[in-house]
Amino acid sequence: MAATIRCWRLSKTIKCLVGQTRLLKESTNRNNKTLFRLGSSSRFYSSASSDPRVSRSKWTGRIIGIGVLTATAFGVGYGLRNTTVQAEEDDVIPDNVKPSREVRIPTDNSGMKLVLYQYQTCPFCCKLRALLDYYGLSYDVVEVNSVFRSEIKWSKYKKVPILVFKADNKQEQIQLNDSSVVMSILYTYLLDPSKPVSLIKSFYPEEEVFDEVKKKNVKDFSNKYSIMYQEDASDGRTGEQQLEERKWRAWTDKTLVHMLSPNVYRTPTEALQAFRYFSDVGEWENVFSYPMRMFVIYTGATAMYFLGKLLKKRYNLHQDVRISLYNECDVWVKAVGKNRKFMGGTKPNLADLSVYGVLSSIEGCDAFKETLERTKIKTWYYRMKTAVSQHEGHGTIKLVTPGKS
């Protein structure tokens, strides 16, 4: 029955996508009109980036049509496969997974063995990597195939990043999910390594909450932006500073990150550019075969172009989506202020790392380059990039306990 329902839903999706593809192809043959034209706006900026630059080649519709149909055909097969095998999967963490690459920091003495399952340019993965790199933690990277996701078939949790944690001299491996939760867990553990990660993880239970945007119940984690300090102890920050950090970490997940897809995949040309950049920076040639890499690039660009349009509407972005991105970046710069190097003061806090990580995911795209030109975020961004790449946070977390020096 489940398989029948899924097939019916997929058939409706095919009809919808084919209709969109026909409309797209027809639009590319019109002399002076295009489906992708975005009206320029001078509400806050006079942006040259809002001028339509989309090729009107007759091949545009064909390429995207092929991509849509290929992706849909794959979706049918993969959907039916999941109907039969999903129930058999268990969270049995593999012991000897071969990493795509290894990040080794000579000064790391944390005693942690970390394996990060990721997409290289996923903003949530970039956010978590920013923390790992800033605090100088060694880790292995497993690049996940974004189409088949076979590298995480062992996990019931199908999103990335997934971080597998194992403490020094201990056999138990612990799976940590959700980038914000993982950042909170790791920071808590760095404050007090005597507290087992399994115990810290229990402080962030999964629950159902109502999503005001999606208008439905979704799964999320309690306390995800909170650091679990031990009794009568802190890291030297005031309650007001901790509250500010939590506020802007939540803003990163609930506002800033939703600016990215509609901007990066604003046009078919930009969508292809983005996926080619993702392929280069993710070193997909070392991870996937050539046919698979081409498949992921073209089907991914096609799917994300249409998804970007849906997200633009869902999150009520400006008609020229660049304006929404520019505005939010300036909101962040204003929050940091002129008298602080970072929101954390003289050194980044978890909010700084979150915002930097999310923005770094699109560093090779036109949307990012134009954002640096049109907003005031450039100085802060490159200050963060230096701090993260040089592991300036190594050894900076020192637990402060009242009554002890």
Side-chain angles (χ1 to χ4, degrees), residues 39-47 50 316-320 323-324 327-328:
S40 61
S41 170
S42 58
R43 180 182 177 189
F44 292 99
Y45 297 89
S46 176
S47 171
S50 62
N316 195 29
L317 303 191
H318 195 279
Q319 178 61 27
D320 178 359
I323 301 298
S324 293
N327 289 344
E328 296 304 334

Side-chain angles (χ1 to χ4, degrees), residues 1-13 79-80 83:
M1 184 62 182
T4 302
I5 293 173
R6 183 167 293 188
C7 285
W8 179 81
R9 289 177 178 172
L10 286 168
S11 68
K12 298 288 286 184
T13 303
L80 291 174
T83 302

Side-chain angles (χ1 to χ4, degrees), residues 45-264:
Y45 297 89
S46 176
S47 171
S49 68
S50 62
D51 293 339
R53 297 175 298 173
V54 182
S55 171
R56 296 172 185 171
S57 165
K58 65 180 181 179
W59 289 103
T60 303
R62 297 178 185 177
I63 291 173
I64 292 185
I66 292 170
V68 169
L69 294 176
T70 304
T72 304
F74 167 77
V76 172
Y78 192 69
L80 291 174
R81 175 184 178 276
N82 277 354
T83 302
T84 59
V85 306
Q86 185 69 32
E88 300 176 4
E89 296 179 350
D90 295 312
D91 283 349
V92 180
I93 302 173
D95 289 323
N96 55 351
V97 62
K98 182 179 179 181
S100 306
R101 62 186 176 92
E102 299 177 349
V103 178
R104 294 291 177 265
I105 311 300
T107 55
D108 178 23
N109 58 359
S110 65
M112 292 185 284
K113 181 178 180 182
L114 305 173
V115 181
L116 176 62
Y117 292 81
Q118 66 151 29
Y119 307 147
Q120 178 67 20
T121 50
C122 159
F124 300 105
C125 299
C126 292
K127 183 174 67 172
L128 179 52
R129 283 204 317 273
L131 178 141
L132 297 174
D133 292 338
Y134 175 68
Y135 287 113
L137 302 176
S138 299
Y139 57 97
D140 291 341
V141 173
V142 177
E143 194 68 24
V144 177
N145 183 313
S146 58
V147 176
F148 293 101
R149 295 182 293 181
S150 56
E151 293 80 6
I152 55 173
K153 64 181 180 181
W154 52 270
S155 173
K156 294 176 184 176
Y157 183 84
K158 294 302 181 183
K159 299 178 182 179
V160 292
I162 295 173
L163 188 73
V164 174
F165 172 96
K166 185 166 75 170
D168 194 21
N169 299 322
K170 293 186 178 180
Q171 294 301 315
E172 181 186 18
Q173 296 190 96
I174 301 171
Q175 178 181 347
L176 305 177
N177 304 327
D178 188 282
S179 60
S180 292
V181 174
V182 179
M183 292 176 74
S184 295
I185 290 175
L186 287 179
Y187 189 89
T188 299
Y189 182 77
L190 289 172
L191 282 174
D192 183 12
S194 68
K195 192 179 297 180
V197 165
S198 55
L199 174 63
I200 300 173
K201 181 182 177 182
S202 69
F203 299 152
Y204 304 90
E206 191 173 25
E207 63 178 2
E208 275 201 355
V209 298
F210 184 74
D211 190 307
E212 292 290 346
V213 176
K214 297 180 180 178
K215 303 300 181 184
K216 66 178 182 179
N217 287 333
V218 298
K219 289 186 177 181
D220 204 350
F221 295 86
S222 296
N223 312 315
K224 66 192 296 182
Y225 303 111
S226 298
I227 305 304
M228 300 303 173
Y229 298 97
Q230 60 180 301
E231 188 176 358
D232 298 326
S234 74
D235 57 358
R237 295 186 298 165
T238 66
E240 184 178 351
Q241 289 171 326
Q242 295 170 25
L243 183 62
E244 180 184 48
E245 179 186 77
R246 291 198 296 271
K247 170 187 173 181
W248 289 99
R249 289 180 67 194
W251 172 83
T252 304
D253 288 351
K254 297 176 182 179
T255 300
L256 179 63
V257 76
H258 298 305
M259 302 298 112
L260 302 190
S261 292
N263 274 279
V264 171

